[in-house]
Amino acid sequence: MNRLQVAIVDYGMGNLRSVANAFKAVAPDTTVAVTSDPAQIAQAERVVFPGQGAMPDCIRELDARSLRQAVMDATQQKPFLGICIGLQMLFQHSEEGNVPGLGVYAGEVKRFPQAKMVDVHGEKLKVPHMGWSQVHQTQPHALWQEIPDQARFYYVHSYYVVPDETALTAATTAYPFDFTGAIARDNVFAVQFHPEKSASAGLQLLRNFVNWKP
């Protein structure tokens, strides 16, 4: 049996099938599986942790399925892509439900502050931040290959990460202030936006992940 090349972590939340279908579209010869089996995740060449929903639910379901250690090991050992909640859960603590994350990186997950959610015309901005926004690449990375700076990606979120270490940030987006849209460190790349919903730019990022050799 061929070794699993991309494991998409199934913890009972998120749009897992659309992520899997996007990978199959950009890399039809790649073996992709949505799985909740820790052993299969451990054996996979690459791991993707997608998600949408609330951080407390994410952490609870991760532990209920005995997936925490497999995900932690993947962040240390192999190409790892976090999407949305898959970015947020890498940090120490979230204001959403006042819960600890996995603590891979130092930093907080914060809610968009209502008092600051005003555009340049004085109009109130909605929370959640939902729709297409430009992503400013703040450091070069293999996953940005063939994606122009300021390309638009699709966001749906009310919370954003604030890393203690600014060097972790690989991209920012303004809504209305700059927040971290992506992080990168060694074998880990994680994004707040949804590449699987982001048309050609998002598909290119997934294609780059399949070919990435950190």
Side-chain angles (χ1 to χ4, degrees):
M1 183 177 176
N2 290 337
R3 183 180 181 187
L4 179 60
Q5 291 170 291
V6 178
I8 299 171
V9 180
D10 179 2
Y11 59 111
M13 297 174 63
N15 50 334
L16 305 174
R17 297 297 166 190
S18 63
V19 175
N21 289 338
F23 272 106
K24 290 172 183 175
V26 300
D29 297 328
T30 299
T31 309
V32 179
V34 176
T35 179
S36 58
D37 181 354
Q40 198 171 27
I41 293 166
Q43 292 166 5
E45 293 177 7
R46 301 164 190 276
V47 171
V48 180
F49 193 103
Q52 55 190 31
M55 177 73 90
D57 298 336
C58 166
I59 297 298
R60 183 188 67 244
E61 294 301 319
L62 200 64
D63 287 336
R65 289 166 168 78
S66 302
L67 289 168
R68 180 186 286 252
Q69 193 58 52
V71 170
M72 289 292 289
D73 290 346
T75 66
Q76 305 300 315
Q77 298 169 358
K78 60 188 71 179
F80 181 96
L81 176 63
I83 298 172
C84 196
I85 288 287
L87 162 66
Q88 295 179 7
M89 62 98 182
L90 296 175
F91 288 84
Q92 292 169 315
H93 181 266
S94 177
E95 288 184 351
E96 186 175 24
N98 189 29
V99 295
L102 298 182
V104 177
Y105 304 114
E108 290 276 323
V109 181
K110 295 182 175 291
R111 183 174 173 84
F112 282 113
Q114 205 61 50
K116 293 185 178 179
M117 304 313 292
V118 179
D119 67 16
V120 293
H121 306 294
E123 298 293 327
K124 291 187 72 172
L125 294 171
K126 292 182 179 179
V127 177
H129 168 215
M130 184 182 299
W132 295 85
S133 292
Q134 288 182 313
V135 172
H136 170 55
Q137 300 168 19
T138 58
Q139 60 170 285
H141 195 278
L143 267 68
W144 295 137
Q145 187 175 347
E146 296 187 36
I147 300 173
D149 189 25
Q150 306 294 349
R152 290 183 178 272
F153 288 83
Y154 190 82
Y155 282 95
V156 185
H157 64 124
S158 299
Y159 294 79
Y160 61 98
V161 300
V162 183
D164 282 6
E165 191 179 348
T166 56
L168 261 180
T169 298
T172 60
T173 287
Y175 191 76
F177 53 85
D178 286 348
F179 68 86
T180 294
I183 66 161
R185 170 76 39 96
D186 300 326
N187 59 299
V188 173
F189 194 89
V191 298
Q192 183 61 63
F193 51 79
H194 287 271
E196 76 281 4
K197 296 180 179 179
S198 296
S200 59
L203 293 178
Q204 182 61 46
L205 189 143
L206 298 182
R207 186 179 295 110
N208 290 341
F209 176 71
V210 170
N211 296 317
W212 182 32
K213 295 179 174 64

